[in-house]
Amino acid sequence: MHILKTYILILLCFCSLFISAQEKLAYSGDPDSSFFTARELAFAGNRVAARDTLTTILSAYPEYTDVRVLLAKTHTWDKEYDSARKHFNTIISKEKEIKEVWVAAINNELYSENYATALGLANKALKYIPNDEDLAKQKQYAIDGIIGVTEEGKESEIDTTTTMLKNQFGLTNSFEIFDVVYDPMFYSSIEYKRETLSGPIIPRINYSNRFGTHGLQYELDFYPKLSKKIYGYLNYGFSNAPTFPKHRAGVEVYANYPKNMELSLGVRYLDFKSIKATIATASVGLYTGNYFFSARPYVTAISNNKNLGFSGTVLARKYLRDKDNYLGVIAGVGYASELKQLRNAQDALLAETVLYVESQQVLFEYQFTGKKNPNIYKTNLGVTRQELIFEPGKFFWSVSAGITYQVKF
C-alpha cells in the first residue's frame, strides 16, 4: 500500500512537470511574429483563430497593447460589444494617450448604440488628446445619437451593418385624480410613427373622458429635416368634442449650435368655440455629458382679453445608455393650457383653454427599452397644485400617472 502511494505521488509530480513544460512551450514563440500572423487571420475573416492566437500571446505578455487592441476589435467586428469593452477598459485604465485605442473604444459604443457611454469616452479622450478632429467627430456622433438627430450619410460612417427600424407603434394610457371637486379624468392615445427621408411623420388619435364627457381628437405631427443642423416641427389637430379645441396648430424651428446647445422658436394656435389663443414659445437646450437640460417659456394672447399670460417649464434628463433610456423631471409654473380641463363658476364645460390661474406642476419620467428587443416603455408620475377657477385664492391638488408602450418594426 505504501509503494502504491509512492507511485501515485511520483505520477502526479510527473504530470505537473509535463503540464508546466507544455505551458512554457506554448509561450516560447515570438510574440511579434504571432501577432502579425493573428492580424492576417483577423483581416482575412478568420477571427476565431485570430482570437485564439491573441489570447495565447496575452497569457504570457498581458501588457502587449497592440495585441489587446486587435483582440478587442475582433470582438467589435463580431458584435460582441461587451467582450470588446472589457479589453478596451483594461487598456484605457493604463494607457491614456493612444488615439487608436480611444477611437476604437468609442466606435464600439457607437456600433452598439450606447451613445451616452460613447459621449463619456469621447469627453475623456479629448482631455488627454485635446483638439483632435476625429475624436471631436465621434463626440458629435454620440450627441446626435442621444438626441436622435441623424445626419445624412452618417449612418454609413458609423456602422454600415446597422438596420434602422423605420416604423413605430405607440399606445399611451394615463389618469388624473383630485383631492376636491373633480372626478378622476382618463386619457389615452394611439399613434404611428414613420421615419422618412424628409423626417418623422406621426399621425395620432387622442381620447379623453373628463367630467363624464367622451372626446376624440385627431392629430398629425411632422418633423422636417431642413439641414444637417436644423429641423422643424409642424402640428395640426381637429376635434368636434367639447373637451378639445376644434382646431389646433403648431410651428417651430430647432437649430443645433456648437457647445452642445439647441435653440428653438415657435408658435401654437388654439381655436375654441368662444375664444382663440395664440401662444409664442421658445426653448434653450444644453447637452453636457449624459445630461440634457432645457427651459421653455410660453407667452399667451387670447382674442377676448388684452392681458398676456406667462408660463414656463424646465426639464432635466439623465441618459442611461442611449437616447431611448433616461430618467427625467419636468417642473412647470403657470397654467398648462394644453393639458388641463376645468369647469367655471356656472359649472359649464370649458375646452382646453388658457386660464389666468396660479399653478405649479412637477412630473417625473422614466423611459427604458427591453433587454432583447428595441421596444420602448415609459412611465410618468406627476403632482399639480392649481388655483380653482371659480374660487380665486383656493387651490386643489392632483396626482397623475401614465404608461406608454412603443413597438419598433
Side-chain angles (χ1 to χ4, degrees), residues 261-277:
M261 181 175 292
E262 182 180 71
L263 303 178
S264 75
L265 185 64
V267 64
R268 308 286 190 268
Y269 176 75
L270 305 177
D271 183 2
F272 305 101
K273 290 184 177 180
S274 58
I275 63 172
K276 295 176 175 58

Side-chain angles (χ1 to χ4, degrees), residues 75-355:
H75 284 298
T76 297
W77 297 339
D78 284 343
K79 300 183 180 181
E80 298 170 354
Y81 304 119
D82 292 340
S83 298
R85 185 180 300 112
K86 293 178 182 178
H87 290 293
F88 284 129
N89 289 342
T90 298
I91 302 170
I92 291 172
S93 65
K94 301 175 181 178
E95 304 283 350
K96 306 290 188 182
E97 298 179 355
I98 303 177
K99 176 180 174 180
E100 178 191 3
V101 177
W102 286 112
V103 170
I106 297 168
N107 277 338
N108 184 67
E109 304 304 332
L110 292 174
Y111 298 157
S112 62
E113 297 185 353
N114 291 330
Y115 299 115
T117 303
L119 179 58
L121 285 174
N123 286 330
K124 289 182 180 179
L126 287 168
K127 290 181 180 179
Y128 296 103
I129 310 174
N131 303 319
D132 185 89
E133 292 185 2
D134 294 328
L135 293 173
K137 286 182 180 179
Q138 287 185 306
K139 178 179 179 179
Q140 189 59 53
Y141 294 163
I143 293 171
D144 290 346
I146 291 174
I147 65 177
V149 177
T150 303
E151 297 180 7
E152 184 178 358
K154 182 180 294 183
E155 182 181 354
S156 61
E157 292 179 14
I158 295 181
D159 186 2
T160 57
T161 63
T162 300
T163 300
M164 184 177 181
L165 300 176
K166 303 291 186 180
N167 303 282
Q168 185 171 299
F169 172 81
L171 178 64
T172 299
N173 287 292
S174 63
F175 67 89
E176 185 173 15
I177 56 176
F178 305 84
D179 67 334
V180 295
V181 181
Y182 305 115
D183 293 329
M185 301 180 186
F186 300 93
Y187 313 84
S188 295
S189 70
I190 184 172
E191 69 177 33
Y192 167 72
K193 180 180 179 180
R194 172 67 180 178
E195 295 285 351
T196 71
L197 294 177
S198 300
I201 298 177
I202 309 173
R204 182 186 304 109
I205 299 176
N206 299 314
Y207 165 80
S208 69
N209 183 351
R210 292 174 283 186
F211 310 112
T213 300
H214 302 277
L216 287 176
Q217 181 187 54
Y218 306 92
E219 269 191 293
L220 181 66
D221 291 342
F222 178 42
Y223 293 85
K225 298 177 182 178
L226 305 177
S227 72
K228 288 185 176 182
K229 296 294 183 181
I230 300 175
Y231 68 98
Y233 164 72
L234 298 174
N235 165 268
Y236 175 73
F238 172 81
S239 177
N240 276 323
T243 52
F244 289 104
K246 187 174 183 64
H247 301 282
R248 62 165 296 158
V251 178
E252 194 153 358
V253 177
Y254 294 82
N256 292 297
Y257 288 87
K259 305 296 183 182
N260 306 329
M261 181 175 292
E262 182 180 71
L263 303 178
S264 75
L265 185 64
V267 64
R268 308 286 190 268
Y269 176 75
L270 305 177
D271 183 2
F272 305 101
K273 290 184 177 180
S274 58
I275 63 172
K276 295 176 175 58
T278 302
I279 307 169
T281 186
S283 70
V284 178
L286 177 65
Y287 293 88
T288 173
N290 297 342
Y291 293 88
F292 173 66
F293 302 96
S294 176
R296 176 179 289 276
Y298 297 92
V299 180
T300 303
I302 300 179
S303 57
N304 59 0
N305 195 318
K306 295 181 179 181
N307 296 322
L308 295 177
F310 298 92
S311 60
T313 61
V314 293
L315 177 150
R317 282 179 180 171
K318 179 181 181 181
Y319 291 95
L320 306 175
R321 189 176 67 187
D322 54 29
K323 65 184 178 64
D324 292 329
N325 292 263
Y326 59 80
L327 289 167
V329 59
I330 304 172
V333 176
Y335 185 74
S337 62
E338 299 179 3
L339 301 178
K340 298 298 179 182
Q341 170 69 63
L342 302 176
R343 295 175 182 266
N344 63 13
Q346 288 73 40
D347 206 35
L349 189 64
L350 297 174
E352 289 188 11
T353 187
V354 182
L355 304 176

